[in-house]
Amino acid sequence: MPATGSTNEKAIRDLTREICEIIDNNPLALEEKMAAVMMVCFEILSAIPANGIRMNVSDGQTLYLELKQPETTTH
C-alpha cells in the first residue's frame, strides 16, 4: 500500500492536470481565465484558515493573492 503522502501528491497532480485541461479547453480569453482562477483561489481562501496564496507564473513572476478585511474609515 502506498504511503499517504505519495497518494496525496498523485491526487493533487491529477486534480491539477484536470483543472488545467478544463482551463486550456475553455474558449475564454487568457485574462478571463486568470480572473476565473483568481476567483477560485479567493473562494478557497475563504474556506480554509489561510489569508494568502502565492503562485509562480510561467514567466518567473510571482502572483500573490491576499484575502483581508476592507479598511474602515470613520467620519
Side-chain angles (χ1 to χ4, degrees):
M1 176 177 229
T4 303
S6 62
T7 302
N8 288 345
E9 290 172 11
K10 182 182 180 327
I12 290 169
R13 280 193 311 271
D14 290 347
L15 180 58
T16 302
R17 186 180 65 250
E18 290 176 34
I19 292 169
C20 289
E21 287 174 4
I22 291 168
I23 292 170
D24 288 343
N25 294 325
N26 191 286
L28 291 173
L30 290 176
E31 295 83 5
E32 293 167 322
K33 290 178 183 182
M34 178 58 83
V37 169
M38 292 172 66
M39 291 168 54
V40 170
C41 290
F42 282 122
E43 290 295 324
I44 293 169
L45 282 174
S46 66
I48 62 173
N51 64 348
I53 294 176
R54 187 177 313 275
M55 293 181 277
N56 296 322
V57 184
S58 61
D59 66 0
Q61 297 184 57
T62 300
L63 174 64
Y64 182 72
L65 302 175
E66 183 177 18
L67 185 64
K68 63 182 182 177
Q69 294 295 323
E71 295 181 16
T72 57
T73 56
T74 56
H75 297 282

